[in-house]
């Protein structure tokens, strides 16, 4: 009997990626295409074409899991809270399954990161994994015993749209967020929030990479900006530890690649966490940018 093959789809705002994994997690197929931004039917078509390509090469059908932005409303069954806004208000799960003519499993992209790292990544063997995406936006995902925790309202892990705790008085109420509120964690600790903070304080528009290059060169403004960023990320993580106290925190997304983060975060967290003690490991995602798409495959 042939090994079971799992297909994972990572639906992002700029690219759609597919991966095929065997039962041991080895990669059998991998492909990326540009996302048809703003085109809902085009998105369904692009996913279908990727699956057809994969199964043609693999010469056998496979299970399909999809990691996506946002979540499904338990009331309407339609997508909400997706920063790929053309998905919002759509019955994406039903439409894709009808398009493909088969069953598909879905999860939020941050939950896919948590699942991937819980199965065979930096959180393997841990009972509870909290995964954090700090990229263009901010997401959080939860896995318990190697399974995604969606939550009754489909909001498990969505801590990026809570207000940043212990916010400095001079920063209150915080920047406007696309969700309609102000001062969300996402507006401060996303890669976008990092560059916008630098812009507000210096008047200079630099990329995250350019800010960190200036940091390495000793520029005072860059060092102050990164110090604010670390402090705010520490506050956000402490708020999760106070409630959930997971076995491990896993960081993914572009900002997670900054190695300086891992040196000082635990000490900064201890300054605000209840009781003043923090021993939880904070690790970069073992599978890096591939964690989300691998997690989608592991939904089966």
């Amino acid at each position: 009997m042939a090994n079971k093959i799992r297909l994972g789809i990572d639906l992002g705002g700029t690219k759609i990626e597919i991966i095929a994994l065997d039962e041991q997690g080895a990669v059998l197929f991998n492909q990326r295409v540009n996302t048809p931004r703003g085109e809902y039917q085009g998105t369904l078509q692009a996913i279908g074409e990727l699956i057809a390509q994969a199964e043609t090469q693999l010469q056998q059908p496979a299970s399909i899991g999809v990691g996506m932005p946002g979540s499904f409303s338990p009331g309407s069954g339609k997508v909400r809270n997706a920063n790929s806004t053309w998905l919002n208000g759509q019955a994406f799960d039903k439409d894709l399954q009808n398009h493909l003519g088969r069953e598909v499993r879905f999860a939020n992209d941050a939950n896919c990161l948590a699942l991937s790292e819980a199965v065979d990544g930096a959180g393997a063997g841990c009972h509870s994994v909290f995964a954090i995406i700090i990229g263009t936006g901010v997401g959080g995902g939860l896995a318990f015993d190697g399974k995604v925790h969606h939550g009754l309202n489909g909001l498990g892990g969505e801590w990026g749209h809570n207000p940043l705790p212990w916010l400095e008085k001079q920063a209150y109420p915080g920047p406007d967020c696309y969700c309609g509120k102000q001062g969300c964690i996402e507006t401060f600790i996303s890669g976008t929030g990092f560059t916008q903070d630098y812009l507000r304080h210096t008047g200079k528009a630099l990329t995250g990479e350019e800010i960190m290059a200036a940091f390495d060169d000793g520029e005072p403004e860059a060092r102050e900006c990164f110090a604010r960023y670390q402090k705010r990320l520490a506050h956000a993580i402490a708020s999760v530890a106070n409630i959930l106290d997971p076995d491990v925190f896993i960081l993914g997304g572009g900002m997670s690649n900054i190695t300086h983060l891992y040196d000082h975060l635990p000490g900064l967290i201890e300054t605000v966490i209840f009781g003043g003690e923090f021993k939880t490991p904070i690790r970069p995602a073992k599978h890096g940018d591939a964690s989300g798409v691998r997690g989608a495959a592991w939904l089966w």
Side-chain angles (χ1 to χ4, degrees):
M1 183 178 177
N3 287 341
K4 180 176 181 179
I5 296 176
R6 296 171 171 86
L7 292 180
I9 301 284
D10 181 17
L11 173 56
T14 58
K15 56 89 179 169
I16 304 173
E17 182 175 5
I18 189 171
I19 201 169
L21 302 180
D22 68 12
E23 291 179 312
Q24 289 72 45
V27 178
L28 305 176
F29 181 85
N30 189 223
Q31 179 73 20
R32 289 186 179 191
V33 297
N34 292 331
T35 302
R37 291 184 61 81
E39 299 179 23
Y40 181 63
Q41 291 300 324
T43 299
L44 298 175
Q45 185 70 29
I47 293 172
E49 290 172 358
L50 281 173
I51 291 169
Q53 289 176 29
E55 292 186 333
T56 297
Q57 180 161 323
L58 297 167
Q59 297 187 333
Q60 68 179 91
S63 62
I64 303 169
V66 174
M68 53 177 279
S71 62
F72 293 102
S73 163
S76 68
K78 297 180 179 180
V79 178
R80 63 188 176 173
N81 303 332
N83 52 14
S84 298
T85 53
W86 61 96
L87 298 176
N88 288 327
Q90 303 286 355
F92 178 56
D93 53 349
K94 294 177 182 175
D95 291 343
L96 183 60
Q97 290 179 107
N98 288 337
H99 181 74
L100 299 174
R102 57 209 282 197
E103 184 182 358
V104 180
R105 293 183 181 175
F106 298 82
N108 174 266
D109 48 11
N111 280 330
C112 287
L113 168 63
L115 179 59
S116 171
E117 295 297 318
V119 170
D120 65 353
C126 294
H127 163 63
S128 55
V129 174
F130 192 87
I132 294 168
I133 295 177
I134 39 177
T136 304
V138 165
L142 276 167
F144 292 106
D145 296 324
K147 296 182 180 179
V148 168
H149 176 71
H150 295 282
L152 183 64
N153 297 295
L155 296 173
E158 282 289 0
W159 119 115
H161 292 279
N162 289 331
L164 182 72
W166 305 292
L167 180 61
E168 315 94 275
K169 197 173 289 186
Q170 64 272 22
Y172 185 82
D176 292 336
C177 184
Y178 80 89
C179 75
K181 299 180 177 64
Q182 286 181 290
C184 289
I185 287 170
E186 176 164 312
T187 67
F188 289 102
I189 66 169
S190 62
T192 307
F194 180 54
T195 57
Q196 288 296 309
D197 182 68
Y198 184 83
L199 175 63
R200 281 192 297 271
H201 283 82
T202 67
K204 295 185 288 185
L206 299 183
T207 65
E209 290 82 1
E210 289 169 337
I211 296 169
M212 291 312 298
F215 173 93
D216 290 334
D217 289 339
E219 182 193 272
E221 293 90 348
R223 289 190 168 263
E224 290 167 6
C225 180
F226 188 61
R228 286 190 298 272
Y229 180 85
Q230 286 181 294
K231 182 179 178 181
R232 290 164 175 171
L233 178 58
H235 288 187
I237 291 175
S239 69
V240 177
N242 278 345
I243 298 169
L244 181 65
D245 201 11
D247 294 338
V248 63
F249 286 95
I250 306 292
L251 305 188
M255 296 297 289
S256 72
N257 297 319
I258 300 174
T259 56
H260 297 295
L261 278 179
Y262 302 90
D263 298 331
H264 302 294
L265 273 177
L268 290 169
I269 291 168
E270 286 185 340
T271 65
V272 290
I273 197 169
F274 186 62
E277 293 181 298
F278 181 79
K279 305 302 180 187
T280 313
I282 301 173
R283 299 169 181 160
K286 176 181 176 180
H287 298 294
D289 292 343
S291 280
V293 72
R294 289 179 66 93
W298 287 124
L299 288 171
W300 289 84

